[in-house]
């Protein structure tokens, strides 16, 4: 059984008010499963409710209308998230689509870096099927371990090839023009390349590759010698760049930056559904366990919520938290729709008091792409 470390990501759209009767392709690129089992925050949620993986991808692929410097066409600016359908496919080296899985249509985007997270629908069944097909969730490198100048890495993802042209389509743009949508004959094709770090940095690395990466590789994992994720492909420096040293290099978001983004995304979701006093009690309990040299168990919530570690969890605490987490299911049984969280919490107004709300800054309407 061949191990697959990346998935083919497709975004389709339909704008009913523009007379579109069926979904058409919007963007295609690469994504991968990021193991969430070592999360700093998800253990605060009951096991049955927490997501097991995140799908990491490029923001400009998930929401191209936010990147008008990439996609200046007027029609792209008409698209919004509610028009989109997200999916991933498992594709083997023979270009055979082995399985297709739906994604929740509510991506979480970094406010400045070109990276986002999205989640599987019906996650348990999807992961079981993927496991049988050889799809492997990946883990980030240690959060303090960065790439150094000269380090060797490996890229694994997909390019977009024209099925009528075995040489592929080097001029491919991830977002199709309107007049090309109906006759599109392009598809994902497995692609890999080796690379060497030429310009390391805190949030972005530049990596020279043995083979020039294509746009379809945006969102692909950057793997170190041990198979850990050392970054995610953000884009490719133009081959005609004025500085020949970086021309054609892969621009990647670093693993420390990914760690921070994942932490912030998970914490944001928790703070939107959890009363502040209960959040503090659970955080204090975690600190006490860690100071004693203990590890955080997978059933942390189930154990701590019924204990007196770090503070008294009374019946009201338990009732409130269980009710909230079971209703929202933290992205597993219903959609992780940020806009609806406040409305959902209002349903529990009798159980929750003095919760301050701030609008999450997840998206930025105009983003200047940095190279």
């Amino acid at each position: 059984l061949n191990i697959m470390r990346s998935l083919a990501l497709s975004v389709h759209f339909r704008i009913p008010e523009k007379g579109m009767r069926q979904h058409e392709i919007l963007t295609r690129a690469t994504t991968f499963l990021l193991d969430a089992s070592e999360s700093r925050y998800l253990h605060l949620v009951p096991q049955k409710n927490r997501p097991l993986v995140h799908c990491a991808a490029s923001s400009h692929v998930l929401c191209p209308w936010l990147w008008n410097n990439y996609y200046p066409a007027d029609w792209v600016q008409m698209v919004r998230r509610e028009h989109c359908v997200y999916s991933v496919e498992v594709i083997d080296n023979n270009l055979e689509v082995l399985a297709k899985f739906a994604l929740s249509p509510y991506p979480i985007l970094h406010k400045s870096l070109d990276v986002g997270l999205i989640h599987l629908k019906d996650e348990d069944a999807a992961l079981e099927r993927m496991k049988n097909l050889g799809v492997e969730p990946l883990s980030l490198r240690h959060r303090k371990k960065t790439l150094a100048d000269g380090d060797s890495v490996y890229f694994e993802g997909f390019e977009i090839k024209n099925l009528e042209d075995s040489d592929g389509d080097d001029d491919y743009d991830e977002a199709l023009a309107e007049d090309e949508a109906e006759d599109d004959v392009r598809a994902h094709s497995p692609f890999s390349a080796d690379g060497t770090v030429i310009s390391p940095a805190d949030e972005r690395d530049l990596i020279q590759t043995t083979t020039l990466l294509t746009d379809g590789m945006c969102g692909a994992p950057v793997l170190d010698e041990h198979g850990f994720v050392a970054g995610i492909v953000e884009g490719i420096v133009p081959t005609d760049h004025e500085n020949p040293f970086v021309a054609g290099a892969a621009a990647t978001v670093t693993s420390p930056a990914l760690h921070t983004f994942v932490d912030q995304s998970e914490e944001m979701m928790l703070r939107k559904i959890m009363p502040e006093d209960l959040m503090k009690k659970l955080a204090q309990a975690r600190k006490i366990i860690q100071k004693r040299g203990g590890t955080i168990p997978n059933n942390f919530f189930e154990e701590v919520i019924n204990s007196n570690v770090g503070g008294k969890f009374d019946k009201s605490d338990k009732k409130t938290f269980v009710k909230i987490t079971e209703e929202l299911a933290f992205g597993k049984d219903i959609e992780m729709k940020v806009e609806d969280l406040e409305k959902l919490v209002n349903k529990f107004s009798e159980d929750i008091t003095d919760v301050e709300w701030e609008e999450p800054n997840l998206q930025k309407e105009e983003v200047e792409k940095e190279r």
Side-chain angles (χ1 to χ4, degrees), residues 101-102 104 119-128 331-333:
F101 303 92
S104 167
H119 296 85
L120 291 164
K121 284 187 176 180
D122 194 12
E123 185 187 65
D124 292 335
L127 288 178
E128 182 64 25
K332 290 195 67 173
D333 299 324

Side-chain angles (χ1 to χ4, degrees), residues 34-47 49-54 108 117 119 123 138-141 143 258-271 274 279 282-283 286-287 290 295-301 330 336:
L34 195 57
D35 185 2
S37 64
E38 297 182 3
S39 165
R40 286 187 170 185
Y41 295 96
L42 293 185
H43 59 267
L44 300 181
V45 179
Q47 281 183 288
N49 300 126
R50 72 184 68 155
L52 301 176
V53 296
H54 304 296
I108 301 174
L117 301 177
H119 296 85
E123 185 187 65
L138 303 177
S139 298
L140 289 170
R141 281 161 62 105
R143 62 182 60 243
L258 284 174
H259 269 294
T260 300
F261 172 53
V262 171
D263 287 347
Q264 291 173 345
S265 299
E266 293 172 351
E267 182 181 14
M268 180 275 297
M269 293 300 300
L270 280 176
R271 289 192 181 280
M274 191 188 304
M279 183 84 169
L282 288 167
R286 179 176 61 186
K287 289 181 180 179
Q290 291 173 329
T295 57
I296 304 300
N298 286 330
N299 62 342
F300 174 83
F301 170 83
F330 209 72
M336 292 175 66

Side-chain angles (χ1 to χ4, degrees), residues 184-216:
D184 180 46
V185 292
R186 290 170 285 195
H188 289 89
S189 178
F191 181 93
S192 61
D194 294 319
T196 303
V197 179
I198 59 173
S199 179
D202 292 336
E203 292 190 329
R204 289 187 178 93
D205 291 330
L206 291 180
I207 302 174
Q208 198 66 57
T209 55
T210 53
T211 304
L212 183 68
L213 301 190
T214 66
D215 288 336

Side-chain angles (χ1 to χ4, degrees), residues 2 64 86 112 150 153 198 244 313 347:
N2 292 329
Y86 298 84
S112 59
V153 294
I198 59 173
F313 294 91
K347 290 168 56 179

